[in-house]
Amino acid sequence: MTTTSEPAADPRSAGPEWWRSAVIYQIYPRSFADGNGDGTGDLAGVRSRLGYLRDLGVDAIWYTPWYASPLADGGYDVRDYRRIDPAFGTLEDAEALIAEARELGIRTIVDVVPNHISAEHEWFRAALAAGPGSPERERFWFHDGAGPDGAQIPTGWVSSFQGQTWTRTTNPDGTPGQWYLHLFTPEQPDLNWNHPDVRQEHEDVLRFWFDRGAAGIRIDSAALIVKDPALPEVPETPGPGEHPHLDRDEIHDIYRGWRTVADSYEEPRVLVGEVWLADHERFAQYLRPDEMHTAFNFDFMARPWDAKELRESIRMTLEAHAPVGAPATWVLSNHDVTRPVTRYGREDSSFDFAAKRFGTPSDLELGTRRARAAALLVGALPGALYVYQGDELGLPEAEVPRELIQDPMHFRSDGVDPGRDGCRVPLPWTRTGTSLGFGPDGGAAPWLPQPTGWSDRSVEAQAGDPGSMLSLYRRALHLRRDLPALHAEELTWLGLDGDSQGDDVVAFTRGARFACVVNLGTAPVPLPAGATVLLASGPVDGEIGPDTAVWLDLPS
């Protein structure tokens, strides 16, 4: 084992609280880069592109699950946390990747999925074999069915992927058996977090990866893991802590235990939560000083391209984080969400899983202008910034042919929802080649097809173009690192006309000299008097055009 648990400090991302203003790049391993030419991205591919990430200006990489998995849900059905899936490489490859990235000033955050494991995990196989009432089944939520013959599901809870949340087992003699709970797919049985084995195993997994140099853990579906053992139905309007499987009060003791593990290292490790909650006070409880360090800000990502909406989200986010002293996080998309170039070009530019449909039209030229402006907006806000792979290339959401879709969300919606594969299509690196540089020329076709025209959006096509999306991201991320105001200074709203920003502008300062102004309207907005343009998402000639953002150096 290559141990890199206490790496040397480096000037690009030094300091124990590097995570408060870090730029974190999300890698979906299947789709980033294919090192061996089999059509699937792997760790060798990522290692070959570390120089690209260094030059882009990121401080850390977050990997979606790279563990051994049947891939029933893109790797979020984990068979073994201590093994890398053979499609991606080996444990030694992961150790080398963590070490090589850190040598370039890039930390590594790995995914942990505490709500469930794979149905092929040794624990679940043992539970099925052991039968009702066994200790092995106590690690999960096995339950007799309702009705005289047990044929009815134990609860009417609805899956996060639509449909019911219970699947019935079959006894060795072929008769129907007990039911087991799965908030996602049947291939992902939920764990019982009241069981000491479950708690101990996950703390051991944290140590396993922290000992190998991982700088942090991203916690999937973090608010879902604790269930009410009475299994009541979901109330029509559950009060705080009253939902039977979401945001239970008991959950915080678990994450306090995880924080103790993270803080036990000489260089403390970081906990990042995926916490989808509408109640901002409840959300902030996960960020108390003895729990998680940060959590994803989904409210901002889901808002439409509207100045009032975005200002409200920014204000609300900062106010929610202030009482617990945690930094906000900002993100425009991820491996589950429609890409910004497509989303911002639609009549409804917000995001809602329930609203995803095939054939929704989008003006990609408009969406690209807005995505460029949005990149500068989030890059200037206080807190940590997440960039999903390919957003820096301005990739649109791909339309994957129905017969090639693999995402279970599509199938569990009876084919209505196009699923999430459109934002998971492998990246284009070169203008030409079998897979546009995703894999070696002459290798297998990518596991999802790349759309026609993506050669013009490749890294090679954009790298030398100062007007490209890639060039904009590179300049923004390097400026963000170099400007002290973007690390330490708080946000102050800036009025362009008296005390009002108007209905179509988002404008603020960070410190005495830096300002960000975003025009989301249809008419030009004048530049503040005496300001010098540091960076702009579009042409600026004395005024800021529609769907344009600028970073400014204000006069003293």
Side-chain angles (χ1 to χ4, degrees):
M1 179 185 81
T2 302
T3 301
T4 58
S5 58
E6 307 303 340
D10 92 66
R12 291 167 55 89
S13 53
E17 294 194 332
W18 60 272
W19 42 273
R20 299 189 73 91
S21 61
V23 175
I24 302 164
Y25 187 92
Q26 181 192 351
I27 288 181
Y28 190 72
R30 294 179 81 187
S31 300
F32 185 72
D34 172 15
N36 62 10
D38 65 357
T40 296
D42 49 38
L43 302 190
V46 178
R47 292 171 70 184
S48 72
R49 301 293 186 181
L50 284 175
Y52 167 80
L53 296 171
R54 174 201 59 206
D55 295 344
L56 183 60
V58 306
D59 301 303
I61 306 168
W62 156 39
Y63 292 90
T64 57
W66 54 14
Y67 313 108
S69 168
L71 296 178
D73 181 25
Y76 282 88
D77 47 320
V78 179
R79 181 191 290 130
D80 187 342
Y81 274 111
R82 296 170 179 82
R83 287 181 53 223
I84 299 297
D85 195 274
F88 300 145
T90 65
L91 179 60
E92 291 73 22
D93 291 332
E95 292 170 351
L97 176 51
I98 292 169
E100 291 168 9
R102 189 59 194 271
E103 289 174 1
L104 297 177
I106 301 172
R107 289 175 165 87
T108 296
I109 296 171
V110 299
D111 230 312
V112 168
V113 189
N115 181 68
H116 51 262
I117 54 178
S118 168
E120 295 186 14
H121 191 285
E122 62 180 1
W123 278 9
F124 193 70
R125 293 201 307 268
L128 290 178
S134 63
E136 290 84 354
R137 289 203 171 187
E138 291 177 0
R139 295 168 172 156
F140 302 91
W141 292 98
F142 282 89
H143 204 279
D144 293 335
D149 57 358
Q152 299 174 31
I153 56 176
T155 74
W157 297 356
V158 178
S159 169
S160 298
F161 286 171
Q162 303 183 43
Q164 68 183 40
T165 55
W166 295 89
T167 291
R168 197 168 194 183
T169 62
T170 301
N171 295 322
D173 62 3
T175 59
Q178 288 186 306
W179 298 76
Y180 68 87
L181 175 68
H182 51 85
L183 293 184
F184 293 87
T185 71
E187 294 85 3
Q188 295 165 286
D190 279 32
L191 291 163
N192 176 8
W193 274 87
N194 297 320
H195 199 292
D197 287 357
V198 175
R199 296 198 179 203
Q200 185 62 56
E201 168 65 5
H202 281 77
E203 291 186 5
D204 289 347
V205 166
L206 299 190
R207 293 187 182 93
F208 181 87
W209 285 105
F210 291 159
D211 288 346
R212 283 158 177 76
I217 295 291
R218 180 264 188 184
I219 308 164
D220 181 74
S221 301
L224 289 176
I225 65 175
V226 173
K227 281 78 176 177
D228 184 339
L231 300 180
E233 295 297 342
V234 179
E236 184 174 346
T237 54
E242 293 180 354
H243 197 291
H245 62 80
L246 175 65
D247 187 37
R248 304 282 302 168
D249 290 335
E250 309 94 302
I251 204 168
H252 297 284
D253 182 58
I254 294 168
Y255 294 130
R256 281 190 285 271
W258 287 27
R259 181 62 176 260
T260 298
V261 174
D263 286 348
S264 69
Y265 288 78
E266 183 177 343
E267 182 184 88
R269 298 336 195 214
V270 178
L271 305 179
V272 182
E274 182 193 29
V275 182
W276 290 82
L277 290 178
D279 186 324
H280 297 96
E281 290 186 6
R282 299 284 295 187
F283 171 86
Q285 290 181 11
Y286 290 80
L287 301 176
R288 289 175 290 197
D290 60 347
E291 295 190 45
M292 299 178 193
H293 297 77
T294 65
F296 288 151
N297 176 10
F298 294 110
D299 180 84
F300 182 88
M301 181 176 63
R303 297 275 184 146
W305 186 250
D306 177 87
K308 289 182 177 180
E309 291 268 1
L310 295 180
R311 280 202 305 270
E312 178 188 1
S313 182
I314 294 167
R315 185 180 293 110
M316 185 173 58
T317 297
L318 296 177
E319 288 176 355
H321 285 74
V324 290
T329 64
W330 309 99
V331 59
L332 296 177
S333 73
N334 60 34
H335 63 292
D336 292 331
V337 174
T338 304
R339 287 194 181 271
V341 164
T342 297
R343 192 169 77 244
Y344 288 143
R346 289 176 171 169
E347 182 177 356
D348 180 359
S349 55
S350 63
F351 178 79
D352 185 343
F353 279 112
K356 290 186 70 174
R357 294 293 182 270
F358 287 97
T360 305
S362 177
D363 181 342
L364 295 185
E365 183 178 343
L366 174 64
T368 297
R369 286 202 308 273
R370 291 175 171 178
R372 289 173 64 90
L376 294 195
L377 171 57
V378 294
L381 292 169
L385 173 63
Y386 283 79
V387 178
Y388 176 51
Q389 65 177 42
D391 280 356
E392 81 278 14
L393 302 177
L395 297 182
E397 187 85 352
E399 294 186 3
V400 178
R402 286 178 183 262
E403 66 273 15
L404 298 178
I405 291 175
Q406 301 189 30
D407 183 19
M409 286 193 79
H410 167 69
F411 301 104
R412 289 177 67 84
S413 71
D414 293 326
V416 173
D417 184 339
R420 300 163 294 176
D421 287 345
C423 62
R424 301 175 176 183
V425 172
L427 300 189
W429 292 90
T430 59
R431 288 188 175 95
T432 60
T434 308
S435 58
L436 301 179
F438 169 67
D441 201 23
W447 70 281
L448 287 174
Q450 296 164 314
T452 302
W454 269 27
S455 60
D456 294 335
R457 298 179 182 270
S458 66
V459 173
E460 182 182 33
Q462 296 193 44
D465 177 4
S468 70
M469 184 76 83
L470 177 58
S471 294
L472 178 70
Y473 264 86
R474 283 177 172 170
R475 292 198 301 274
L477 298 189
H478 284 273
L479 263 178
R480 176 186 166 96
R481 175 174 288 159
D482 293 341
L483 293 172
L486 294 183
H487 291 267
E489 300 290 349
E490 298 300 318
L491 176 150
T492 301
W493 295 108
L494 174 65
L496 298 183
D497 179 15
D499 294 327
S500 174
Q501 294 194 7
D503 292 339
D504 298 322
V505 175
V506 175
F508 54 88
T509 60
R510 301 278 306 278
R513 298 286 299 272
F514 177 88
C516 176
V517 181
V518 188
N519 179 8
L520 292 87
T522 57
V525 172
L527 283 170
T532 300
V533 176
L534 299 173
L535 185 60
S537 67
V540 175
D541 184 13
E543 57 186 14
I544 307 165
D547 298 317
T548 301
V550 294
W551 287 3
L552 302 171
D553 181 24
L554 299 176
S556 300

